[in-house]
Amino acid sequence: MFKAMIKKEFLLVLRDKQALMVLFIMPAIFILIMSVAMRDIFSQKSVRFDISIRDLDKSSISKELIKTLRVDKSFDIVKAEDAKLSITIPKGYGKEDVANKKKLNINIKSSLKSDEIELFKAKLSKDVISLKLKIIKVKMSEFSDVAASAIGSITLEPKKLFSIKYNKSKNIPNATQQSVPTWIVFSMFFVIIPMSTIYINEKKQNTLARLSSMNISVITIALSKIVPYLFIAQIQMVLMVLVGMYIVPLFNTPALVINGSILALIFLSFALSLCAIGLASLIAASSNSSEQATTIGGISNILLGAIGGVMVPKFIMPPIMQKLADISPMSWGLDGFLDIFLKGGGIATVLNNSIMLILFGAVTLSLSMLILKKKLL
Amino acid sequence: MIKISHVTKKYGNFKALNDLSFEVKKGTIFGLLGVNGAGKSTILSILNGLCKIDAGEIQIAGFDIKKDIQKIKEISSIVPQNLAFYDKLTVKENLDFFSKIQNAKKENYDKAIEVNGLESVLDQRALTLSGGQKRRLNIAIGLLNNPQIIYFDEPTVGIDPKSRNEILSSIKNYKNFGITVVYTSHYMNEVEKICDEVAIISHGKLIKQDSLKNLLSKDNPKDQTALEKHFLELTEESYV
C-alpha cells in the first residue's frame, strides 16, 4: 500500500513541469549566474589598477616615479584609453625647491567603488613617499652618512612593517562556495510549490476524503508524501553540487571544492530537506487554495532567506543581524554546508545544526498531520 | 443493511442532522432527496467515517459505526460528487493506485473496468477524458473493493444525457450483484428511474420515507413529474 502511495506521489511530481523547473532548473541557473556575477566581490586576489601616466615634467624625479610605479605590482600601466585611472605629472613636479607645491593630478575614468579609490590612494601615496624618502636620503648623504643611512632604513613595505596571521581566511567563501549552499537551501524550501499543489488538489477534489474512507490513515498519507520529496531533495543537492564543481568553472569562476565529509553532506541534506518538507506540509495543510499556499510559502521562504543569510551572506551582516539570522532554519542549513565546504567539517561539526533542522521538521510535520486530521474528520 | 436511529450532528450551534432516523434494506437502491443544505452530504460523510455523530446510533451490516468503523469502511465505498482521482495519472495508473491501497482483488479490478466501459481509455491521462468518462472512472474507483454498500453523491452532475443513461443503467445493475446503493441526486427523474425506496429530508429531519411505487401511486403513477411535485410540497411545508 505504502509503495503505491509513494509511486503515485512520484508520478504526480515528475509530471508537474512547473515544479521541476522551480526545483531543478531555477536553482541551477541561479548558481551559475550568482557565482559568475559575484566572482570579483568574493575574490581574495590582490587588487590591481589599470593606470596610464602622462609625464609633463620629464625630470629625473618624474622618471624615477614612473619607474617606481612600473615595478609596483598594484599597478598595470596601460594605454590611456584602457586605463581606469590616469596620473598626470605636472611640469615642475621634480623641481628641487622647498616651496614647490606641485601635486600629481589623478583622473578617475571609470566608476570605481569608494573603497577601491581609497586603496588606490594608499598604494600611490606609498610609492610617492618612498620616492621622496629616496630624495631626502641623497640630500642627507651630503651632510651625514649616519642620517642618510637611518632614512634609507625606513621601509613602507607592509611585510617588513607588520606580520599578519590570516586565522579566518579559510572561513570566507568564494563566490561558488557561497552560491551553491545558498541555492541548495533556498531551492529545497521551494518544495512548497509542488507539495501544496498536490495536497490542495487532493483536498479540493475530495481525494483525501476518499483515501480516508478507504481506511488510509492521516499518518500514512503524510508519510507517503515525505519519502518522494526527501529523495527529490537529495537529487537537488547532488545536481547543485555538480553544477558548482563542473559547470561554474567553465565560466572562469572558481569551482566548488568540498573540503569536508561527504557523509556529513548527505546527513545535513537529509535533515534540511526534512525541515523544508515539514514547513511545506504545514503550509499546505493549513491553506485552502494553492494560490494561498504558494503566496504564504513564497513570502515565508523569502523572509527566512533574507534573515538566514541567503540574500546577503551572513559574514558581511552586522553582528545584530548575524544573531537574528540564527532563528532561521535556512541559516542552520547554510552554516552547515559552509562548515563542510570551507572548514572541512564532518558529522560532528554539523550535528547540532542537523538536529535542530530535524526537530523543526518533526514539529511542523506533526502539526500538519493534526491539521489534516481535523480537516478530514 | 443500514439503520440510522435518532442521529444528531451539530456544527457549532447549527444542527445539520436533527434526530434523524431511517433504514435502508439490503440490496435496494435507496434515493436520498433534499434541497441544498438539507443534510444529505453530512449523512454520507458520517456513513463513510469522515465525520462523527453527536448523538444517536448507526448500524451498518450489523456493525456499530462508533466501534467498527474500520470494518464498515472495508465493506462500503463512496463515489463523491467531485472527481476524486488524479488528473495527471492515466486511467490505469489511477485504478492501480486505488486498487493497491485497498488490496483489491484482480477480478474486482477487471470488473470495475468492464462495468464502466473504460477498456479503451486505460492509457489515457484522466485529464484528457470526456465528462462522461471521468464520471465513469470516478465510479469505477468506488467499485474496486467490491463493496456491499455503495454511496453515490450526485454522480451525474455535468454530463451529457447519453452518459447519464449509461451510468444509471450500470447503477441499476448493481442490484444484480447484491450491492446496496444509496443515491443522492437533484434530478427527480433519475431517482424515479432507478430507486426502489426514497427518503426526503429537510433541515436535517426525515420528512418522508416510502417506496417509490407508493410515492408515485398517491398521485398519478404515469405522471413524469409526480415525484418532483411531491418533493416540492413536502420540502416547502417543512420550511413554513
Side-chain angles (χ1 to χ4, degrees):
Chain A
M1 175 186 74
F2 198 59
K3 205 173 141 188
M5 304 247 334
I6 291 171
K7 186 184 169 189
K8 176 265 296 177
E9 205 69 28
F10 258 121
L11 287 172
L12 292 176
V13 182
L14 294 176
R15 286 175 189 173
D16 187 344
K17 285 176 191 159
Q18 279 174 307
L20 295 178
M21 288 276 285
V22 170
L23 294 178
F24 297 106
I25 310 293
M26 182 192 80
I29 291 173
F30 265 112
I31 284 177
L32 198 59
I33 292 170
M34 299 309 276
S35 299
V36 176
M38 298 197 300
R39 180 179 58 200
D40 294 338
I41 296 170
F42 282 85
S43 170
Q44 290 177 57
K45 283 182 192 169
S46 53
V47 180
R48 291 175 78 95
F49 296 99
D50 290 338
I51 59 166
S52 66
I53 305 170
R54 196 171 164 218
D55 186 5
L56 300 176
D57 191 37
K58 308 276 184 197
S59 65
S60 58
I61 288 177
S62 68
K63 282 174 187 164
E64 188 61 30
L65 177 62
I66 293 168
K67 198 175 146 190
T68 308
L69 292 174
R70 272 190 203 284
V71 295
D72 189 331
K73 287 175 183 169
S74 300
F75 302 115
D76 284 322
I77 298 175
V78 296
K79 285 179 192 168
E81 59 266 29
D82 298 330
K84 286 183 178 177
L85 298 125
S86 66
I87 301 170
T88 304
I89 306 171
K91 199 169 171 57
Y93 179 77
K95 196 176 175 187
E96 293 177 17
D97 184 348
V98 183
N100 187 359
K101 302 275 186 193
K102 294 282 182 188
K103 291 187 287 189
L104 293 174
N105 295 316
I106 314 292
N107 185 19
I108 300 169
K109 286 186 177 176
S110 69
S111 56
L112 284 178
K113 287 184 282 180
S114 58
D115 55 345
E116 286 178 307
I117 294 168
E118 288 306 314
L119 185 63
F120 170 76
K121 278 154 63 178
K123 299 262 184 195
L124 186 61
S125 300
K126 189 203 85 179
D127 286 345
V128 171
I129 292 166
S130 295
L131 178 65
K132 293 206 166 169
L133 282 172
K134 266 188 196 174
I135 296 164
I136 294 168
K137 185 189 164 192
V138 173
K139 295 268 183 203
M140 287 301 290
S141 64
E142 290 172 13
F143 305 103
S144 162
D145 286 343
V146 178
S149 159
I151 290 167
S153 68
I154 296 172
T155 179
L156 296 173
E157 284 302 315
K159 278 182 189 170
K160 290 177 184 170
L161 289 172
F162 31 78
S163 71
I164 303 172
K165 199 175 171 190
Y166 292 96
N167 283 337
K168 288 190 172 178
S169 66
K170 245 192 148 184
N171 292 353
I172 297 171
N174 64 34
T176 316
Q177 284 167 322
Q178 177 65 32
S179 293
V180 172
T182 295
W183 290 101
I184 290 176
V185 171
F186 208 45
S187 62
M188 275 192 192
F189 277 81
F190 269 96
V191 73
I192 179 68
I193 292 177
M195 216 172 176
S196 64
T197 309
I198 295 171
Y199 234 123
I200 284 156
N201 278 344
E202 283 180 321
K203 274 198 281 184
K204 261 188 181 172
Q205 295 185 324
N206 280 349
T207 323
L208 282 183
R210 185 170 224 172
L211 291 176
S212 181
S213 78
M214 290 173 174
N215 265 336
I216 310 296
S217 69
V218 167
I219 294 175
T220 310
I221 293 171
L223 289 179
S224 73
K225 288 186 181 296
I226 296 171
V227 176
Y229 289 106
L230 272 178
F231 187 74
I232 285 167
Q234 306 328 304
I235 298 173
Q236 275 183 298
M237 187 271 287
V238 172
L239 182 76
M240 301 309 134
V241 167
L242 291 177
V243 168
M245 288 171 87
Y246 300 107
I247 308 291
V248 171
L250 300 176
F251 295 86
N252 198 25
T253 303
L256 175 74
V257 178
I258 305 170
N259 292 310
S261 146
I262 297 290
L263 201 63
L265 186 63
I266 295 166
F267 178 57
L268 177 70
S269 177
F270 264 103
L272 180 68
S273 46
L274 191 70
C275 171
I277 291 165
L279 183 64
S281 297
L282 180 61
I283 294 171
S286 340
S287 303
N288 295 319
S289 68
S290 50
E291 290 82 8
Q292 193 183 12
T294 47
T295 307
I296 296 171
I299 292 170
S300 60
N301 277 1
I302 288 167
L303 284 177
L304 290 175
I307 296 168
V310 167
M311 311 286 171
V312 178
K314 243 169 99 175
F315 70 89
I316 60 169
M317 283 181 181
I320 190 166
M321 287 304 291
Q322 287 190 12
K323 277 198 172 175
L324 186 67
D326 291 338
I327 65 166
S328 167
M330 285 197 192
S331 168
W332 311 336
L334 196 53
D335 285 350
F337 280 119
L338 290 171
D339 282 344
I340 294 168
F341 292 148
L342 293 174
K343 294 181 191 168
I347 296 265
T349 323
V350 298
L351 192 62
N352 282 347
N353 282 9
S354 302
I355 289 173
M356 287 194 347
L357 289 166
I358 291 168
L359 282 176
F360 187 94
V363 170
T364 45
L365 273 171
S366 307
L367 284 173
S368 71
M369 282 185 216
L370 285 175
I371 293 170
L372 195 61
K373 201 168 178 180
K374 204 179 167 192
K375 285 193 175 180
L376 277 178
L377 276 179
Chain B
M1 191 68 170
I2 302 170
K3 192 177 176 190
I4 295 174
S5 314
H6 307 289
V7 167
T8 299
K9 172 72 189 172
K10 285 183 198 167
Y11 294 107
N13 291 327
F14 174 69
K15 272 188 182 173
L17 300 181
N18 188 2
D19 196 32
L20 182 74
S21 301
F22 65 85
E23 278 185 46
V24 179
K25 287 176 204 135
K26 192 176 177 183
T28 56
I29 301 181
F30 188 87
L32 197 55
L33 299 179
V35 294
N36 284 335
K40 301 189 298 287
S41 296
T42 305
I43 297 170
L44 291 192
S45 294
I46 289 169
L47 294 175
N48 283 280
L50 299 171
C51 175
K52 286 177 182 165
I53 54 174
D54 296 318
E57 280 181 12
I58 297 176
Q59 296 271 323
I60 299 174
F63 296 115
D64 184 337
I65 204 160
K66 287 177 190 162
K67 293 175 193 160
D68 306 309
I69 189 64
Q70 306 271 347
K71 283 175 189 161
I72 290 171
K73 282 179 179 181
E74 279 169 24
I75 59 157
S76 59
S77 180
I78 183 166
V79 176
Q81 188 180 343
N82 290 336
L83 300 167
F85 51 75
Y86 298 97
D87 281 349
K88 284 183 180 159
L89 301 187
T90 64
V91 171
K92 188 175 182 305
E93 284 165 346
N94 266 298
L95 291 168
D96 283 349
F97 167 68
F98 285 104
S99 175
K100 280 176 186 164
I101 60 168
Q102 298 180 97
N103 292 321
K105 286 179 186 166
K106 177 81 171 67
E107 60 196 78
N108 298 334
Y109 177 90
D110 293 337
K111 193 170 91 182
I113 293 171
E114 193 194 326
V115 168
N116 290 285
L118 293 168
E119 298 93 334
S120 59
V121 292
L122 283 176
D123 294 323
Q124 222 171 299
R125 290 236 180 130
L127 188 71
T128 64
L129 298 175
S130 68
Q133 287 167 333
K134 282 180 182 171
R135 286 279 157 203
R136 293 211 296 269
L137 172 60
N138 206 27
I139 294 170
I141 292 167
L143 290 174
L144 287 168
N145 65 335
N146 195 26
Q148 291 177 35
I149 308 162
I150 187 160
Y151 304 94
F152 286 94
D153 190 3
E154 303 188 28
T156 58
V157 171
I159 55 168
D160 61 89
K162 187 175 173 275
S163 300
R164 178 178 293 166
N165 281 334
E166 282 170 7
I167 288 171
L168 292 176
S169 309
S170 62
I171 292 172
K172 217 170 177 181
N173 272 338
Y174 297 161
K175 257 173 76 170
N176 302 332
F177 303 121
I179 299 174
T180 305
V181 176
V182 176
Y183 189 92
T184 74
S185 178
H186 279 120
Y187 303 112
M188 299 300 149
N189 59 343
E190 282 185 3
V191 175
E192 283 180 33
K193 265 185 192 171
I194 64 166
C195 292
D196 303 310
E197 197 156 346
V198 175
I200 298 171
I201 59 167
S202 180
H203 290 96
K205 279 185 174 175
L206 182 72
I207 305 294
K208 184 93 182 169
Q209 181 183 0
D210 210 338
S211 69
L212 184 74
K213 205 175 158 188
N214 283 345
L215 280 171
L216 293 177
S217 64
K218 281 172 187 163
D219 299 295
N220 178 0
K222 285 181 183 172
D223 183 358
Q224 293 285 307
T225 59
L227 184 63
E228 193 168 341
K229 280 177 189 165
H230 217 73
F231 172 77
L232 288 171
E233 270 172 30
L234 287 166
T235 50
E236 273 168 22
E237 269 173 27
S238 75
Y239 274 89
V240 176

